[in-house]
Amino acid sequence: MDTKQQHSTNEDSSDSASVDLEEDFATTTSCHGVGHIFTNAGSRRSMWFTITLICSVACICQCFIIVYDASFFPTRVNIKLEYNIESLFPSVTICNTNLIASLSIGDVEYKNALTLYRYYYINDNRTFGELDEAEKFFTRIYGKNFTIHDYIVKYRFRIEDMIISCQWDSNPCGPQNFSQVVTDYGICYTFNSGQGQHPLLHQRASGSFHGLKLILDVQQYLYPTYPISIQAPDAGIRLSIHSFNEIPNMDSQGVFVPPGAHSYVSITSTHLFTSLEPPWGQCGDKKLKYFSHYSRSACRREFEVDIAADMCNCSYHHYHHYNHQSQKPICSTQQLFECVLPKLTNGEGKINFNRYCPHPCQQSDYPMVLSYAGIANYATLQMAHNNSVLANLMRKQKLANATAQSFIRENLVYLDVYFRELITSLTIESKATGYAQVLS
């Protein structure tokens, strides 16, 4: 009997301790509903129990919603405008829409050059027989080491022959301020490239008087009977505005400037983008072998060079000079026709390029507005008295039975490139919900 009483006493003591712990928790917890449930009785206890249960379920559901939303890695975009005292002037790349500047070449050579140019640059539909015949033609004339790149360089339009007048911020400039660059549009020339002896320039006041002012001769009188143009029969200048550390992509970013007009290229702002890498974004950066700065156009060139070298055992003629250490010969017409171009232009090649070359996480853009005005013929004729280059050109055209007005209309390009406002627009992509926010 004594044993049973002792056992009962121990159970009562344990229950009392448990009740004390529950009371301590209920009266000290920050969840006040639990305290009201413990201290109240009857209907008030039922009311507080119902309220606490509903709130607890709502809290749990909210936690699930937060975790669910975070699983999609949401982002937010912040846009900020900065007004600058000065703005870094972009690089300005210009190309002549015609690729060959020579009247000494016969019609047969022009037609063969047209066959190679159009196939190499825009993958125009040509049979292998046509391409092989064109290459054999040039091999007979220029030897077995003939390459289309050397041909383009030999007969390119030269910047010193195109520039009639050049001014930067009302100060004189000239061909020495331009750098030659190989693009997907042939040989072009870049102002403010930041390369070699060309320091980067800043525009310190808005407006056309403080930017780049050019008068160019597109030399349409040297255009062949068969226009050697990527998009014949164009005449004029193709222009690209880009960052100094990016390679100009003339095919997708170039705009056309016609002769016989004064073209105003007004840059509205410097637009800087900052994006996130996966899983929040889709951008990415990688170290390139032939370029110090990553951009998608530079990555594309490296991709094409590597495809030609690794899969076709030759050096892609467009960008042969980038791979200085390559011992592979420049791709022949047969290699280009049967190997290089098919691998670059088929669906698999495009998919591989998109995987190999992600969009950069930091990039810049220069939105621009183009406007045009006619060229005052008589004022230009008067200007020729003070410009020896323009005067000599007009004198030559007069000897060729061309009027001064027709020369201006068919050959002169007035081009102004400038910042409309010294503004930097920042577009920054950031994480809307990170791991810290989910845990909090």
Side-chain angles (χ1 to χ4, degrees), residues 58-112:
C59 181
I60 293 172
C61 291
Q62 183 64 26
C63 290
F64 275 111
I65 291 172
I66 292 174
V67 173
Y68 178 77
D69 289 341
S71 67
F72 291 97
F73 303 101
T75 61
R76 65 168 62 95
V77 176
N78 298 319
I79 299 177
K80 179 182 179 182
L81 290 180
E82 294 181 352
Y83 294 87
N84 307 316
I85 299 176
E86 62 179 21
S87 290
L88 176 63
F89 197 73
S91 295
V92 180
T93 298
I94 57 175
C95 314
N96 200 307
T97 57
N98 194 47
L99 297 181
I100 290 183
S102 177
L103 290 177
S104 62
I105 302 175
D107 288 347
V108 176
E109 184 168 341
Y110 272 133
K111 294 176 69 175
N112 283 289

Side-chain angles (χ1 to χ4, degrees), residues 414-428:
Y414 281 60
L415 178 64
D416 289 17
V417 184
Y418 57 94
F419 276 113
R420 187 170 67 184
E421 295 289 346
L422 303 182
I423 296 176
T424 299
S425 174
L426 303 173
T427 301
I428 303 172

Side-chain angles (χ1 to χ4, degrees), residues 205-224:
S206 59
S208 60
F209 288 104
H210 305 283
L212 176 65
K213 301 173 74 70
L214 292 171
I215 302 178
L216 302 172
D217 175 17
V218 302
Q219 299 176 283
Q220 196 172 166
Y221 46 86
L222 294 182
Y223 281 29

Side-chain angles (χ1 to χ4, degrees), residues 96-397:
N96 200 307
T97 57
N98 194 47
L99 297 181
I100 290 183
S102 177
L103 290 177
S104 62
I105 302 175
D107 288 347
V108 176
E109 184 168 341
Y110 272 133
K111 294 176 69 175
N112 283 289
L114 179 62
T115 299
L116 295 179
Y117 273 43
R118 287 193 169 179
Y119 184 75
Y120 288 165
Y121 281 101
I122 61 175
N123 197 20
D124 197 8
N125 292 325
R126 302 283 169 177
T127 65
F128 175 69
E130 291 178 309
L131 293 170
D132 188 56
E133 180 182 351
E135 187 172 73
K136 288 180 178 178
F137 173 84
F138 286 109
T139 301
R140 288 197 305 270
I141 297 177
Y142 297 100
K144 62 180 181 180
N145 294 326
F146 165 81
T147 65
I148 193 67
H149 175 73
D150 293 338
Y151 192 80
I152 294 172
V153 171
K154 180 177 180 179
Y155 291 109
R156 72 190 185 279
F157 280 83
R158 303 177 189 276
I159 190 65
E160 55 268 25
D161 297 330
M162 293 173 59
I163 291 182
I164 295 176
S165 175
C166 176
Q167 285 188 336
W168 161 254
D169 195 16
S170 301
N171 295 313
C173 54
Q176 69 276 7
N177 299 103
F178 288 77
S179 302
Q180 181 175 297
V181 59
V182 179
T183 72
D184 52 355
Y185 210 78
I187 303 295
C188 302
Y189 302 92
T190 300
F191 177 83
N192 198 34
S193 65
Q195 299 177 1
Q197 302 299 320
H198 301 138
L200 293 174
L201 302 173
H202 293 74
Q203 185 170 336
R204 294 178 171 82
S206 59
S208 60
F209 288 104
H210 305 283
L212 176 65
K213 301 173 74 70
L214 292 171
I215 302 178
L216 302 172
D217 175 17
V218 302
Q219 299 176 283
Q220 196 172 166
Y221 46 86
L222 294 182
Y223 281 29
T225 306
Y226 302 93
I228 309 298
S229 172
I230 303 300
Q231 297 178 353
D234 296 324
I237 296 296
R238 192 155 196 183
L239 172 77
S240 177
I241 308 294
H242 57 93
S243 174
F244 73 95
N245 53 18
E246 293 185 359
I247 296 174
N249 190 340
M250 307 305 295
D251 181 49
S252 62
Q253 299 175 353
V255 296
F256 286 99
V257 178
H262 193 158
S263 302
Y264 295 87
V265 181
S266 173
I267 303 171
T268 58
S269 64
T270 301
H271 202 163
L272 302 179
F273 298 88
T274 300
S275 306
L276 295 175
E277 295 184 350
W280 283 273
Q282 297 179 338
C283 73
D285 289 317
K286 61 187 303 181
K287 185 175 179 59
L288 300 178
K289 294 181 290 186
Y290 311 131
F291 303 92
S292 58
H293 176 78
Y294 178 81
S295 67
R296 207 149 191 257
S297 55
C299 184
R300 178 166 188 162
R301 292 195 178 187
E302 184 168 295
F303 175 77
E304 293 174 346
V305 169
D306 289 344
I307 286 290
D310 298 338
M311 304 184 70
C312 303
N313 199 33
C314 63
S315 179
Y316 198 27
H317 71 282
H318 279 48
Y319 316 123
H320 174 70
H321 58 290
Y322 288 126
N323 192 359
H324 299 290
Q325 299 178 352
S326 176
Q327 302 298 321
K328 301 181 185 297
I330 292 181
C331 301
S332 66
T333 301
Q334 183 175 0
Q335 288 174 310
L336 284 171
F337 185 83
E338 296 180 349
C339 183
V340 178
L341 293 177
K343 292 187 181 300
L344 293 176
T345 57
N346 62 21
E348 183 179 354
K350 294 177 181 178
I351 292 174
N352 290 336
F353 164 69
N354 289 327
R355 291 174 179 171
Y356 186 82
C357 298
H359 290 277
C361 293
Q362 292 186 336
Q363 53 185 325
S364 57
D365 186 31
Y366 296 92
M368 55 185 174
V369 177
L370 273 73
S371 57
Y372 303 93
I375 296 177
N377 290 336
Y378 296 107
T380 303
L381 293 175
Q382 291 299 318
M383 186 185 73
H385 295 299
N386 299 320
N387 189 307
S388 59
V389 177
L390 183 58
N392 290 334
L393 288 172
M394 288 188 171
R395 184 164 53 252
K396 291 179 181 178
Q397 293 305 303

